[in-house]
Amino acid sequence: MSPRKRYWMMKSEPDAFSIDDLARVGTEPWNGVRNYQARNFMRDGMQVGDGVMFYHSNCKVPGIAGLARVASHAYPDSTQFDPKSHYFDPKATPETPRWFLVDVAFERKFKQVIALEDIRQHADALGEGFALTARGSRLSVFPVTTAQWKLLLGLEKP
């Protein structure tokens, strides 16, 4: 029996890497995550085939821009070993890596971003702990329940 499909939200600043960039390349390593909780979600929780909502943050209209899927099991993020990388970690070694990533594959871009402003109108239904509507939450990768996934997809405009 295969494991139950899970769902995730993954944030990126569109100036750095957007849903259009993912559509162009098809599959991309989700590198540069330097938060232990987000790392643990990728390393310990994500499975190949899990659904991903691709969220554009720190932009004019932040929100969910499209869908992707987890395309690989977690493996060490090579940027942690590169002294020229913004994501270099001098405490990490190939023998004992600290940071992991998964590959993410494009599925589809929404015709219109599901704006954070619209998502906030459903904060009660999404639940108190939902990271996008919780005060002070800055996680770049976090789980989404099946009910939250369905509710958020229901906000997509045709």
Side-chain angles (χ1 to χ4, degrees):
M1 187 162 114
S2 63
R4 174 178 66 82
K5 183 173 183 175
R6 295 180 181 164
Y7 301 102
W8 306 92
M9 184 81 63
M10 298 179 87
K11 294 182 184 180
S12 181
E13 295 181 10
D15 289 348
F17 191 78
S18 71
I19 190 74
D20 292 325
D21 294 322
L22 185 59
R24 182 177 38 78
V25 299
T27 302
E28 182 76 3
W30 202 265
N31 62 22
V33 172
R34 295 298 182 265
N35 172 285
Y36 287 107
Q37 188 175 9
R39 179 219 46 199
N40 293 349
F41 287 141
M42 289 194 295
R43 185 190 67 193
D44 305 332
M46 289 186 170
Q47 298 296 320
V48 173
D50 283 355
V52 173
M53 289 187 162
F54 194 114
Y55 185 90
H56 282 174
S57 65
N58 198 21
C59 56
K60 186 177 179 182
V61 181
I64 305 166
L67 299 178
R69 65 181 157 69
V70 176
S72 75
H73 294 285
Y75 60 95
D77 180 343
S78 63
T79 63
Q80 68 191 307
F81 311 124
D82 180 359
K84 295 177 185 160
S85 171
H86 176 71
Y87 300 112
F88 175 65
D89 184 337
K91 294 180 181 177
T93 67
E95 298 75 34
T96 56
R98 296 177 78 183
W99 305 107
F100 290 79
L101 58 77
V102 295
D103 292 341
V104 176
F106 177 80
E107 291 214 334
R108 70 182 176 92
K109 178 181 175 179
F110 293 160
K111 290 180 182 165
Q112 186 175 336
V113 169
I114 301 172
L116 177 58
E117 181 179 304
D118 295 334
I119 295 167
R120 283 188 175 137
Q121 293 176 14
H122 301 274
D124 288 344
L126 289 164
E128 189 176 317
F130 186 64
L132 277 181
T133 55
R135 291 219 179 268
S137 177
R138 301 202 30 91
L139 276 180
S140 61
V141 176
F142 58 88
V144 175
T145 67
T146 301
Q148 291 165 338
W149 179 270
K150 289 177 181 176
L151 188 152
L152 292 167
L153 282 181
L155 300 178
E156 183 183 3
K157 296 182 171 88

